[in-house]
Amino acid sequence: MSSSGPFPATGTHASPPSGPLPATGTHHTRSCGKTISTRFTGSTKHEQSLHGNVKPLQLAANGSSCLAYRSPVLKNQWNLSASSSSANAVTTFDDDEGVSTSVNEEKIGVLLLNLGGPETLDDVQPFLFNLFADPDIIRLPRLFRFLQRPLAKLISTFRAPKSKEGYASIGGGSPLRKITDEQANALKIALEKKNLNANIYVGMRYWYPFTEEAIDQIKKDKITKLVVLPLYPQYSISTSGSSIRVLQNIVKEDSYFSGLPISIIESWYQRDGYVKSMADLIEKELSAFSNPEEVMIFFSAHGVPLTYVEDAGDPYRDQMEDCIALIMGELRSRGILNSHTLAYQSRVGPVQWLKPYTDEVLVELGQKGFVSEHIETLEEIDMEYKELALESGIKNWGRVPALGCTSTFISDLADAVVEALPSASALATRKPEDTDSSMDLMHYLTKMFFGSILAFVLLLSPRLVSTFRNTIL
């Protein structure tokens, strides 16, 4: 089975061959009836948080932290303290009745965060620019941040033609917005069944509707309590972290949001509903094989640069491995004892990404006689990796569908929202200390000087530009 992340749990998504992109579904690849490749990325965009090990970001009204789980990255990125809130306190919850009356007196909002994707071929280049202009995607030293936008322009211009080919092959655009809107509607209905009326908002990081647009609407609707639910099962600084940073900046500058009770669900891959829904899909796909017990389950996750994990403290790799262990544990409890492996896909550029790489593992499995299918995106998995698998000796292909709007999965997300409400509190942020403020002036000017030279060379030297283009394509 192939699994991917960091990706929103929204379903199959076509994303440009540059990452990080949303993981859109679980997929399987088979080989000679022996291997299932499953792309693991949540129900394709968001995941888990409360039942078991993962809990929402919570700050007590008295200023003490009630956080049960909080990634080191988010801890460093947010300096949060809780301020008193005039909102009605949530007092009781009843599994049969749903939420308490006091909650229904609130005007509840749920903000779904996702990556976004170009809806037409003309959108591809500006979408890529937005992606690479994000400092959480291309992490430049602080003193070289002035290169961010010129570099994003350069990379997006060079990558756009190849990305357009990929999107053209799957219908001319990404289905991500449609899938996310469907999930939002399904979540609203699921919450109503739990006696919670809530406005659901969709905020995309790199394309319409942007997170800022959703935030504006939340303010216009005068929401009194907000739950933020990134549609990524696992937390990464490049996905959930980047979207939360946008929210952080808004809270810091807007008096309405600085006083709004907010609960943030960082990750939800540990939730029982998600784990069991993923296991259900895998079990169903295994049953299609003539000898299901011989099938290898292959999880293919979206990769991130190794420096994110080793230098920036990104918990993504640990959460991905933990997530897969939970799914395999659920399968074992059902008597399914298949072997499994994990690999990472969608690397780009000359830097080292999380290993092992999916394409290399596929070749290895093919040489061993396995048949496996995996999906990162419609284009990358169904076409690029399929071609590689066939060339490597893998012949039989099958795919586990994305969770999408699966009722059990959506119901579990609704439970996560309900469980997050009591922790909502007004957030006050303070700007982290600027560690560069005391930097020696000469040292600063020296870096600026050489940074300017680098920018000039990259942008104006035809030979180096050509070399750079060959590297990133």
Side-chain angles (χ1 to χ4, degrees):
M1 312 265 305
S2 102
S3 145
S4 64
F7 303 120
T10 70
T12 302
H13 168 65
S15 53
S18 61
L21 305 170
T24 65
T26 300
H27 299 258
H28 301 263
T29 54
R30 315 169 186 173
S31 71
C32 303
K34 291 187 178 180
T35 301
I36 285 187
S37 156
T38 236
R39 170 178 177 69
F40 181 71
T41 143
S43 64
T44 74
K45 284 196 175 181
H46 312 50
E47 308 179 82
Q48 265 111 285
S49 137
L50 306 166
H51 259 166
N53 306 321
V54 180
K55 297 208 165 71
L57 177 64
Q58 29 187 308
L59 293 162
N62 62 6
S64 63
S65 174
C66 298
L67 181 64
Y69 172 80
R70 185 171 170 191
S71 73
V73 174
L74 191 60
K75 194 173 193 177
N76 293 332
Q77 187 179 52
W78 281 70
N79 290 292
L80 299 173
S81 60
S83 60
S84 61
S85 168
S86 60
N88 294 331
V90 178
T91 54
T92 60
F93 285 85
D94 188 301
D95 291 339
D96 295 323
E97 298 297 329
V99 296
S100 67
T101 302
S102 60
V103 171
N104 283 321
E105 294 175 355
E106 302 276 1
K107 193 166 186 181
I108 306 297
V110 179
L111 174 59
L112 303 181
L113 299 177
N114 214 334
L115 187 88
E119 297 179 47
T120 70
L121 296 183
D122 290 337
D123 298 337
V124 172
Q125 193 277 326
F127 165 77
L128 290 177
F129 173 81
N130 292 339
L131 179 71
F132 292 117
D134 182 356
D136 287 320
I137 299 299
I138 296 182
R139 299 174 61 81
L140 298 177
R142 184 181 298 274
L143 292 179
F144 294 93
R145 293 280 172 82
F146 68 96
L147 291 174
Q148 193 85 46
R149 293 178 69 85
L151 192 59
K153 182 67 173 178
L154 187 65
I155 297 175
S156 63
T157 298
F158 286 148
R159 290 197 63 84
K162 183 177 180 181
S163 293
K164 285 183 178 179
E165 292 177 3
Y167 282 112
S169 67
I170 60 167
S174 168
L176 188 56
R177 179 173 181 177
K178 178 178 180 294
I179 294 170
T180 307
D181 286 344
E182 291 172 350
Q183 288 185 318
N185 291 333
L187 179 59
K188 182 175 180 62
I189 294 172
L191 287 171
E192 289 173 351
K193 291 180 179 178
K194 300 178 187 295
N195 296 326
L196 178 62
N197 293 317
N199 291 2
I200 313 296
Y201 304 89
V202 172
M204 300 295 193
R205 184 65 179 89
Y206 305 114
W207 204 243
Y208 301 100
F210 290 110
T211 302
E212 293 84 350
E213 297 177 70
I215 290 296
D216 287 343
Q217 190 60 51
I218 289 171
K219 189 173 182 178
K220 290 178 182 177
D221 291 343
K222 299 180 180 180
I223 293 300
T224 61
K225 186 170 289 186
L226 180 67
V227 175
V228 180
L229 176 60
L231 288 178
Y232 307 92
Q234 304 83 21
Y235 178 92
S236 173
I237 57 178
S238 58
T239 52
S240 300
S242 179
S243 293
I244 291 172
R245 181 172 59 82
V246 172
L247 181 62
Q248 175 191 23
N249 291 335
I250 293 172
V251 169
K252 181 170 57 179
E253 300 173 359
D254 190 298
S255 59
Y256 171 81
F257 284 98
S258 64
L260 178 68
I262 299 175
S263 181
I264 301 174
I265 301 175
E266 288 188 44
S267 60
W268 36 271
Y269 67 90
Q270 308 94 325
R271 292 192 63 85
D272 288 345
Y274 171 72
V275 171
K276 291 179 179 179
S277 294
M278 291 292 293
D280 288 343
L281 293 177
I282 294 172
E283 183 176 15
K284 182 178 180 180
E285 184 67 19
L286 285 170
S287 67
F289 289 90
S290 56
N291 297 300
E293 68 282 354
E294 298 179 5
V295 175
M296 172 184 286
I297 301 174
F298 180 61
F299 293 90
S300 178
H302 198 291
V304 298
L306 186 61
T307 56
Y308 282 32
V309 174
E310 295 188 344
D311 298 336
D314 195 335
Y316 170 65
R317 179 173 62 185
D318 289 343
Q319 291 191 7
M320 178 57 66
E321 292 175 354
D322 186 32
C323 182
I324 292 173
L326 290 172
I327 293 173
M328 293 306 300
E330 174 63 24
L331 290 172
R332 286 193 294 273
S333 72
R334 304 178 185 188
I336 299 172
L337 307 177
N338 298 63
S339 60
H340 73 281
T341 189
L342 166 65
Y344 295 92
Q345 63 193 52
S346 303
R347 70 185 187 277
V348 62
V351 300
Q352 186 173 352
W353 286 51
L354 293 181
K355 290 185 175 181
Y357 299 138
T358 291
D359 53 357
E360 295 178 356
V361 174
L362 282 176
V363 171
E364 181 181 350
L365 291 177
Q367 292 172 345
K368 292 180 178 180
F370 286 105
V371 175
S372 156
E373 175 191 72
H374 138 287
I375 79 155
E376 194 273 312
T377 64
L378 287 175
E379 192 269 341
E380 185 171 10
I381 302 301
D382 285 355
M383 301 177 186
E384 294 182 13
Y385 282 148
K386 179 178 181 180
E387 181 179 355
L388 175 62
L390 292 174
E391 291 175 352
S392 303
I394 295 175
K395 300 177 182 178
N396 301 318
W397 289 75
R399 180 195 304 171
V400 173
L403 288 176
C405 292
T406 302
S407 60
T408 54
F409 166 66
I410 295 296
S411 179
D412 191 62
L413 284 185
D415 287 337
V417 170
V418 171
E419 293 162 12
L421 281 170
S423 68
S425 59
L427 307 179
T429 66
R430 62 178 177 85
K431 187 176 180 180
E433 295 181 5
D434 188 351
T435 56
D436 292 321
S437 60
S438 60
M439 181 177 293
D440 179 76
L441 178 60
M442 185 58 67
H443 188 201
Y444 172 81
L445 293 177
T446 300
K447 288 191 173 185
M448 287 290 289
F449 173 74
F450 285 108
S452 299
I453 293 177
L454 175 61
F456 177 81
V457 170
L458 279 176
L459 295 175
L460 299 182
S461 171
R463 179 172 296 181
L464 285 181
V465 167
S466 177
T467 301
F468 181 70
R469 178 176 182 176
N470 291 335
T471 299
I472 65 174
L473 294 181

